[in-house]
C-alpha cells in the first residue's frame, strides 16, 4: 500500500524568504509524485509532477521539487515566496500498481506574511 | 481556462437522507473522479469513472454510494442514506487521459450531515 506524509500542517514564512514543504512517501513499487495547490475557495490545481527522467522538476511559478528515491522524499521548495503563494499544498503519489488512484497527504498550509 | 464546476458549494442534510452532489467536468475530458476530505484528514480517493462505468473504487465507496453520468455533461455522486461520518468536502475531478497525471479539480461541495 502507498502512503504520503506531510509532517508540517502549517508553515508561516515572511515574503521573499525561502521555503521548503516536506513530503515523504512509502510505496513498494515505482511511483509517480505530484504536488497540488489549493488557493482559497478554489479546487486543487496541479503544481508539478515527477513521472520519470530528471529528478528535479519545476513549475512555471518558481517552485521546484526533487525526487529522492533513497530518502523516499519529494520536498517542495521555492527560493523566494510571494504573498500570492499563500495556499494549501498537497503532496500525492500514484504507484505503478494503483491504477488512476492518487493518495494524498494531509496538506501543508503555507502562510506568507509581509 | 476551462474548469470543473461543482454544485452546490454547501449542502446540509439530515442523517438518513439521500443527497446528490453534482459536477460538470471539462467538456473534452474522459476520466472522472470523486475524492473527499474529512476535516483535518487526508484527501481520500472514492471512485474513478471511465467509458460510462466505474473503473476503480475505494473501500469507502460502499453500496450507499453511486455515481452516474446521466446526460454526457454532468457527473453525479449520490449517497443513498447519509451518515454523520459522511460529512466532508467532496471534490470532483476530471482528466483528459488516465493514469492520474493531470487532474482538474472542482472547488468542492461541503456536505454537513446533522
Amino acid at each position: 500500500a502507498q502512503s504520503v506524509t506531510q509532517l508540517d500542517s502549517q508553515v508561516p514564512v515572511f515574503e521573499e524568504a525561502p521555503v521548503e514543504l516536506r513530503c515523504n512517501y512509502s510505496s513498494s513499487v515505482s511511483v509517480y509524485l505530484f504536488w497540488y495547490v489549493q488557493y482559497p475557495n478554489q479546487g486543487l490545481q496541479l503544481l508539478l509532477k515527477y513521472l520519470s527522467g530528471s529528478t528535479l522538476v519545476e513549475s512555471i511559478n518558481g517552485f521546484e521539487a526533487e525526487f529522492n528515491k533513497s530518502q523516499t522524499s519529494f520536498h517542495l521548495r521555492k527560493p523566494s515566496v510571494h504573498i500570492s503563494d499563500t495556499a494549501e499544498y498537497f503532496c500525492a503519489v500514484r504507484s505503478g500498481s494503483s491504477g488512476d488512484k492518487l493518495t494524498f497527504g494531509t496538506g501543508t498550509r503555507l502562510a506568507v506574511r509581509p | 481556462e476551462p474548469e470543473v464546476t461543482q454544485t452546490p458549494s454547501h449542502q446540509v442534510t439530515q442523517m438518513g437522507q439521500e443527497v446528490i452532489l453534482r459536477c460538470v467536468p471539462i467538456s473534452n475530458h474522459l476520466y472522472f473522479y470523486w475524492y473527499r476530505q474529512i476535516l483535518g484528514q487526508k484527501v481520500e480517493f472514492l471512485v474513478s469513472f471511465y467509458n460510462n462505468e466505474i473503473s476503480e473504487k475505494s473501500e469507502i465507496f460502499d453500496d450507499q454510494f453511486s455515481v452516474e453520468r446521466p446526460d454526457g455533461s454532468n457527473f453525479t455522486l449520490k449517497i443513498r442514506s447519509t451518515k454523520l461520518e459522511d460529512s466532508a468536502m467532496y471534490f470532483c475531478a476530471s482528466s483528459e487521459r488516465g493514469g492520474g497525471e493531470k487532474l482538474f479539480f472542482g472547488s468542492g461541495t461541503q456536505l454537513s450531515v446533522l
Side-chain angles (χ1 to χ4, degrees):
Chain A
Q2 57 197 29
S3 66
V4 175
T5 302
Q6 291 181 252
L7 286 173
D8 306 305
S9 59
Q10 287 195 77
V11 173
V13 64
F14 287 107
E15 195 172 19
E16 297 183 6
V19 71
E20 178 180 83
L21 307 184
R22 295 181 293 168
C23 172
N24 289 90
Y25 68 90
S26 68
S27 174
S28 58
V29 296
S30 61
V31 294
Y32 307 98
L33 294 154
F34 308 83
W35 276 99
Y36 278 82
V37 58
Q38 185 180 26
Y39 298 104
N41 301 314
Q42 295 185 29
L44 285 78
Q45 303 172 34
L46 180 65
L47 186 61
L48 45 75
K49 61 185 178 184
Y50 168 79
L51 303 179
S52 64
S54 172
T55 57
L56 184 66
V57 291
E58 298 176 353
S59 72
I60 58 173
N61 57 353
F63 282 94
E64 64 178 32
E66 185 161 19
F67 169 56
N68 188 318
K69 189 175 181 179
S70 62
Q71 296 186 5
T72 60
S73 68
F74 191 57
H75 300 330
L76 182 70
R77 302 184 184 94
K78 189 169 185 179
S80 175
V81 294
H82 302 289
I83 297 284
S84 59
D85 293 323
T86 294
E88 189 94 17
Y89 291 79
F90 294 91
C91 183
V93 63
R94 178 178 78 84
S95 75
S97 61
S98 69
D100 283 356
K101 174 182 136 180
L102 293 179
T103 298
F104 284 87
T106 48
T108 297
R109 173 144 189 81
L110 176 64
V112 181
R113 299 181 286 196
Chain B
E1 183 172 283
E3 58 182 26
V4 175
T5 56
Q6 288 186 245
T7 55
S9 57
H10 292 86
Q11 174 91 47
V12 180
T13 189
Q14 296 290 325
M15 190 170 58
Q17 294 296 303
E18 174 184 286
V19 293
I20 298 176
L21 309 183
R22 302 180 191 279
C23 169
V24 179
I26 294 172
S27 60
N28 65 330
H29 285 185
L30 301 176
Y31 297 81
F32 312 108
Y33 311 84
W34 284 100
Y35 284 78
R36 79 173 186 188
Q37 185 179 28
I38 295 171
L39 188 63
Q41 298 185 26
K42 301 184 179 189
V43 176
E44 305 172 291
F45 169 80
L46 293 179
V47 66
S48 59
F49 190 87
Y50 169 72
N51 200 26
N52 281 321
E53 60 183 27
I54 291 173
S55 44
E56 192 174 355
K57 61 183 180 180
S58 71
E59 293 174 355
I60 303 167
F61 196 89
D62 61 21
D63 292 344
Q64 293 300 311
F65 290 86
S66 62
V67 289
E68 195 178 31
R69 189 155 161 78
D71 55 12
S73 62
N74 290 283
F75 179 53
T76 61
L77 174 69
K78 183 195 293 188
I79 308 175
R80 241 179 295 280
S81 177
T82 50
K83 303 188 280 284
L84 294 177
E85 53 264 38
D86 293 329
S87 295
M89 178 72 87
Y90 287 80
F91 294 104
C92 173
S94 68
S95 66
E96 198 173 352
R97 294 193 297 264
E101 284 190 24
K102 186 169 183 178
L103 272 61
F104 288 77
F105 283 83
S107 53
T109 294
Q110 180 64 54
L111 177 65
S112 298
V113 182
L114 305 179

